[in-house]
Amino acid sequence: MAALRDWVDAYDWSKNQVTSFVVPFGYDELGPELKRALDAAGLRYALTMLAGADRIAPHVLHDQTHFYVPEEQAERAQEVIREALYGEAVPQGGTLHVMSPYYGDSVFYGAREADEMSIVSPIQLFIDLANYPLRGAEAARMLALGPLAHQLSLNRRQVKELTRIVE
């Protein structure tokens, strides 16, 4: 647990290269459209933040979709968003966010399918959400109580300790 606490303390999701877009799709429509566009372009991706949490521990209402792509595919992913999803890049705000991980492709380790979309592992999702300002700690707590506790085979005391990381 101490290693996970240290990781959360040291990790800063905002160091990732993020390009944000406004797209003409509602949140529920965007997932299938995004998957279709990224798959057609042969891009590797994994949902994270609240959109990732929605697939395994839904709790927070929002309209945000964040996903990682490898750094070498970021430019192509942005092009796909502009062309296939009619995305318009914005300096702030937006609802669709292309992220290139600042510490390499390790964000893809343990990624899995949920609701027919690739999402980061529960551990990566937890550290991404822990310091995310838009109800991230709340979503991380729900993740800790369910999927993450299950993945790590935690007992009740350990789950309580895990939830304290994000309090």
Side-chain angles (χ1 to χ4, degrees), residues 80-96:
V80 166
I81 299 304
R82 283 190 296 274
E83 292 175 4
L85 300 179
Y86 313 106
E88 182 179 328
V90 292
Q92 292 185 69
T95 57
L96 180 59

Side-chain angles (χ1 to χ4, degrees), residues 5 8 36 44 53 58 68 100 109 112 149-150 152 154 158:
R5 179 182 301 277
V8 166
R36 180 190 53 73
R44 183 179 188 194
Y68 285 114
S100 296
Y109 179 79
R112 61 186 188 181
H150 177 72
L152 299 175
L154 301 179
Q158 292 169 316

Side-chain angles (χ1 to χ4, degrees), residues 57-108:
H59 181 69
V60 176
L61 291 176
H62 64 93
D63 64 353
Q64 300 296 304
T65 300
H66 290 80
F67 68 97
Y68 285 114
V69 293
E71 184 177 1
E72 65 276 7
Q73 294 183 352
E75 200 170 298
R76 176 69 180 128
Q78 293 168 28
E79 181 181 309
V80 166
I81 299 304
R82 283 190 296 274
E83 292 175 4
L85 300 179
Y86 313 106
E88 182 179 328
V90 292
Q92 292 185 69
T95 57
L96 180 59
H97 312 278
V98 180
M99 298 172 59
S100 296
Y102 74 91
Y103 61 93
D105 288 350
S106 60
V107 297
F108 295 103

